[in-house]
Each structure stands twice: as C-alpha cells, then as structure tokens.
Amino acid sequence: MRVLVIGAGISGLARGVRLKRAGIDDFRILDAEDGLGGTWRVNTYPGAAVYIASTIFQFGFRTHPWRRTHATQDEVLEYLAQVAKEQGLEPHFNDPTWPGLPEFRGPVMHTQQWQHDVDLSGRRVAVVGVGSSSVQVVPAIAPVAESVHIFMREPGWVLPKGGPALRRLRASALDSPLVPPAGAHA
C-alpha cells in the first residue's frame, strides 16, 4: 500500500478523490468506525444536521439536490455514499484495525467519547487528525502532557486559534472547494 488515508469522513473522501485523480490507486481509507461518513456516521442524536448551508457542504465536483437548507445527518451520509460510489472509492475502505493497536497498553479515546477519568499529566500523547476537535483539545492538554505528537493529513487545516482577522484572509482561499472540479488545477 502506497498511501493510508486516516478518516472516512468528508476530508478522507476528498483525499481519496485527489489520489485517484493523480493516478494513485494503491491506497486505503481507514476509519475508527465501520464504513464511511466519519462524524456523520457517529453523530445520530436528534436534530443532527449541518450548521451551514447545505450547498457549502458539498464537493466542488459533485453538487447535490439537497432537500433542506441545512441537510440532516442521513442526507449527508447518503450524499457521501453516492460520492464514494461514483468516484470508485468503495474498494479502498478498510476495517478499523490499526496496526499495533492491539498491543498498545495505554488508553485510547476519541474526542467524541472523551474519558475524563484519564489523567494526561506527564504522559506522551498522540493525536490523530487536525480538525476542529484537535485544534481545541491540543492546546488544552499540551500544558500537562509530557509531549503531544500530532499526525495529520493536511497541514493547511492548522491555523492558530484567534488568528488573523477574517478580512485579512484572501477571499479566493475561502471560496476554493476542498476538491476542485475535474480538470481544474489544485
């Protein structure tokens, strides 16, 4: 295997599409949950829906006739499954077994099921991913942990919290789709 994509949510699917477009077919998409969807598979609470307009929550190469202005969890999963099928990603999904995880003796947790009884003081901590949860949890645990190692796919997601004013960011960067339409240069 040439590439391992960690996470089968929106960013993981986007990375899979980019790999296929680059002619790389020797990759796996691995998620802690069974199947695709990431957070959208796990969060099944009543009223689970996107917090921004549905049209912003889609890939630039694949629009969707959303049923609501703020798509519900089941519609997001349906959309992601359609994208995975259309883009030929289904054979690339792998079971959630991480190499070496069965031998690891320390605590393992996901931010969605935080174990508040685990004391991270003086411990070496590994964080997988640099999404919104990581940006919140890493600064909170860094002062007490011996060390924090972050494993990421895209360093572009890492911005300092309380960073530059929005008006100073280039508008084109905000308008760029996660995966540009076919034929567009990334």
Side-chain angles (χ1 to χ4, degrees), residues 132 135-136 139 157-169:
S132 60
V135 170
Q136 295 170 54
W157 285 102
V158 179
L159 294 174
K161 203 170 179 181
L166 189 58
R167 68 182 179 279
R168 291 176 38 207
L169 294 176

Side-chain angles (χ1 to χ4, degrees), residues 8 29 33 67-68 87 91 102 110 168 173 182:
I29 300 174
E33 300 299 318
R67 296 186 293 267
R68 300 169 45 109
Q87 298 296 318
H110 191 287
R168 291 176 38 207

